[in-house]
Amino acid sequence: MSSPASERYLIPCPGGRQVHLHKLGAGPVVVLLHESPRSSWALLPLAAKLAERFTVLALDTPGFGLSDPLAEPRPDMSHYADGLAELFDAIGLERACLYGTHTGACIAMAFAERYPQRTTLAVLDGYPVFTEAEQEEHLDAYLAPFRPDRMGTHVHWLWTRVRDQFSFFPWNRPGRAARLQRDPPPLAFMQGVVDDLLLAGDGYRVGYAAAFRYDGATPVARATAKLAITARTDDLLHPHLDRLPPLPEGCEKRSLPADREAWAVAIGDLMAPHAVDATLTLSIGGDRRWLLYLGDDMITVRSFGPAHGKPLLVWHPLPGGGSQTWNLGRLLTGDRYVHVIDLPGCGGSSPAEASPDLLRALVGAFDKPELVACGLSGGFAASVADLTDRVTLVDPPLGADLGPLPDLAPAWDGTHLTATWWMLRDDLLFKPWHRRDHAHARRVGLDIDVEGLHARFSETVRAGAAGMATTRAAAAAWSPDLGYAADVVAMADDPDHEAVVAWAKSAARSVRSAGRDVREIADAVIGD
């Protein structure tokens, strides 16, 4: 099954929380809930098949994908069920047919128990019924912390953990007894799990832990809503079908085929008699995090400052994504309404070509904004300068010496991840990153911003080939002959600082120097 393009939405919920979802198809509404540590992207192949018959809403559950976490520091399944009810209210969905797999199945069951009148059917696929001993073991050892360190050991752990997950259950007990009796998936599928783990970060343990603490048997035995409890024969939780207690009237369990096409048809057949029509109210977000649609392409935006203020756009360094410039955006507010952009192909934006037409449409969506372009993204400024009120180039390259960029196609030994980590780490220490000698060393202190480095690593890996294409396009577009009026902020600790200042004095309107502290950069951008 393929993963088609979908409409994407950010739904505001109580407390400022937002839920990201994909919408596909037309007809009666069904809601899909994914497993841990995945996101709704994992459900798109199934959603594509179901979209032939239904309006499919595939959600990022709280704390996963692009959905905000719940406010509770240690939520249980009742909290996730209540969060789902809040989403139903926000989009005008009175009741629906639910599908959940693994952790998603636990959420669907908890919702069906707390809101039976809003559940026409809950399909619980790969529903876990753990023993107390298994719960204790998984809570104790399965959920290893995922925290970055400057040596990059977490990068090796990440790839090893994902690979082992598809060879053993539990993944942390590799051995004959835990060996899964199936082939591992393709590397591209494993990379999808890596991407979702990078999005969730260490918070992946929160939803997982709630599922491991959940007593699966008790709510099934007393269910008043209709349930269909299923598992594919190749699902590691297929044996849990035999752990189920006697089911109430109106509920059933089924073993489903491993073939994905046949399985998807079977899921659709179960849902069809229970799916109901609904008129939905879907949103592209609030005034702080939202989606900007430009034809078929979509740009993710985080906004700061007063909504009535003068618009200012911030473009992040490349490769990477907008999280690198959130703090800068906050500091640039004042009387400005600052929008930190994920450039095309980067962050949460569509994997689109960063063409001049698309970039002009992006800038043209705002009313003559100021533009702050950081690093290599300044290469794109020439194509949009006439649409802006002011352009500031922060840390512009004198040239576009990208060096040997890593191939982000997944490799069996994880070298695509380690090569990316070391490229970005060296970029903190050298300019350009691949000239690792004293003459090209940045004059920085001994401290490395590990969290910032990991955020850039995460966004670069998740963007993959599309992000690297945007990086190369920016490099190709860069010219030291600007052809437009610009202000320049040069980095005082760079080995080419004097050369950048000399260039800016001849090519730009003004030049200021700043250290790496984001407050210094913001002060230099704001100027007088």
Side-chain angles (χ1 to χ4, degrees), residues 466-517:
M468 285 301 180
T470 298
T471 300
R472 292 187 177 92
W478 171 257
S479 172
D481 301 321
L482 295 179
Y484 60 92
D487 300 298
V488 169
V489 176
M491 298 293 101
D493 63 2
D494 280 357
D496 59 355
H497 173 255
E498 292 182 2
V500 171
V501 169
W503 161 78
K505 285 181 177 179
S506 64
R509 180 167 52 193
S510 71
V511 59
R512 294 182 177 87
S513 296
R516 287 284 160 180
D517 184 88

Side-chain angles (χ1 to χ4, degrees), residues 177-194:
R179 188 69 185 242
L180 296 174
Q181 302 303 305
R182 65 186 191 194
D183 293 334
L187 291 176
F189 187 93
M190 293 187 190
Q191 183 60 44
V193 182
V194 167

Side-chain angles (χ1 to χ4, degrees), residues 10-19 83-91:
L10 277 174
I11 310 300
C13 291
R17 181 173 66 89
Q18 289 182 314
V19 174
L84 183 57
E86 291 176 348
L87 173 71
F88 273 35
D89 292 340
I91 64 176

